[in-house]
Amino acid sequence: MAVPSWLERLRAASKTALVQDGKRKIHYLFEDGKEMAEEYEVKTGQLVSRKWREKNTLGGSGKWQVEVGEPTSPLLGVLESELIKESSSNPVFMRKDTLTSFQWRIRNLPYPKEVYSVSVEKEQRCCVIRTTNKKYYKKFSIPDLDRYQLPLDAAALSFTHANNTLIITGSPWTGALCTWHFRRGNQDRQLYRGHIAQQHIW
């Protein structure tokens, strides 16, 4: 049996939606039990966050894993939080898309722009950030391209550095996909109009 395409999985998923605090929140429950939650700015259609959750080994709900948006800090107990605190100077990696491209930001990187390089490892389907001073190294994938089985292209990546933040942009090779993605956000609003009566907060 052929593996269903991402679009087929999206169409088959159970969906609920609501508008809250200026954001349209959409929850997907896929046939394999996985969940996806997205938030869009109502005024602009901008994707604010996307996260995933799946069943754990005991059959209960696992933790949400952030794909787009601000990363969530793990919840620690009172004693642990007093003894274990993440340094505020550690690099913080996150994805924050624009309306026309994918974008990743790594905060707390004080080194000048010429120190960094960004490349693609096609066999591993990932992008790699390196520094000549060997102070930072990071591999990351682009799940959107994996879901659509689209190739990676190093020529589509560019980066800049300002205010101790490295900003990497994937464009225009991702442009067609991003354009479709945000158009889909508008289509979703029509598709889920019939589901608003089943409003849920996840």
Side-chain angles (χ1 to χ4, degrees), residues 48-49 66-73 92-96 107:
V48 177
S49 72
V66 176
E67 180 179 315
V68 179
E70 288 283 348
T72 55
S73 299
V92 178
F93 178 91
M94 66 173 290
R95 177 174 151 189
K96 186 176 181 180
R107 298 194 293 261

Side-chain angles (χ1 to χ4, degrees), residues 67 69-71 90-98 101-109 129 136 138 140 158-170:
E67 180 179 315
E70 288 283 348
N90 286 343
V92 178
F93 178 91
M94 66 173 290
R95 177 174 151 189
K96 186 176 181 180
D97 293 347
T98 71
S101 62
F102 297 146
Q103 192 172 94
W104 300 266
R105 294 170 179 253
I106 306 96
R107 298 194 293 261
N108 298 330
L109 287 180
I129 306 169
Y136 186 77
K138 176 74 176 179
F140 63 95
S158 61
F159 67 91
T160 186
H161 185 269
N163 300 319
N164 288 342
T165 301
L166 183 68
I167 303 172
I168 302 168
T169 301

Side-chain angles (χ1 to χ4, degrees), residues 105-201:
R105 294 170 179 253
I106 306 96
R107 298 194 293 261
N108 298 330
L109 287 180
Y111 319 114
K113 180 180 178 180
E114 56 269 19
V115 166
Y116 306 97
S117 67
V118 181
S119 59
V120 163
E121 293 189 3
K122 293 185 178 181
E123 290 186 0
Q124 297 185 31
R125 292 193 58 80
C126 67
C127 304
V128 184
I129 306 169
R130 295 181 174 87
T131 58
T132 55
N133 60 9
K134 303 188 184 302
K135 296 292 186 180
Y136 186 77
Y137 178 87
K138 176 74 176 179
K139 283 187 176 183
F140 63 95
S141 62
I142 307 178
D144 308 68
L145 299 188
D146 291 339
R147 287 191 284 267
Y148 288 99
Q149 300 180 5
L150 296 175
L152 299 177
D153 182 2
L157 294 174
S158 61
F159 67 91
T160 186
H161 185 269
N163 300 319
N164 288 342
T165 301
L166 183 68
I167 303 172
I168 302 168
T169 301
S171 177
W173 126 73
T174 56
L177 179 58
C178 282
T179 299
W180 178 90
H181 173 77
F182 291 107
R183 283 177 181 169
R184 181 174 67 81
N186 292 328
Q187 294 168 356
D188 285 342
R189 284 189 273 277
Q190 297 177 359
L191 177 61
Y192 305 130
R193 195 167 293 161
H195 295 275
I196 296 301
Q198 310 172 27
Q199 292 182 356
H200 295 270
I201 297 176

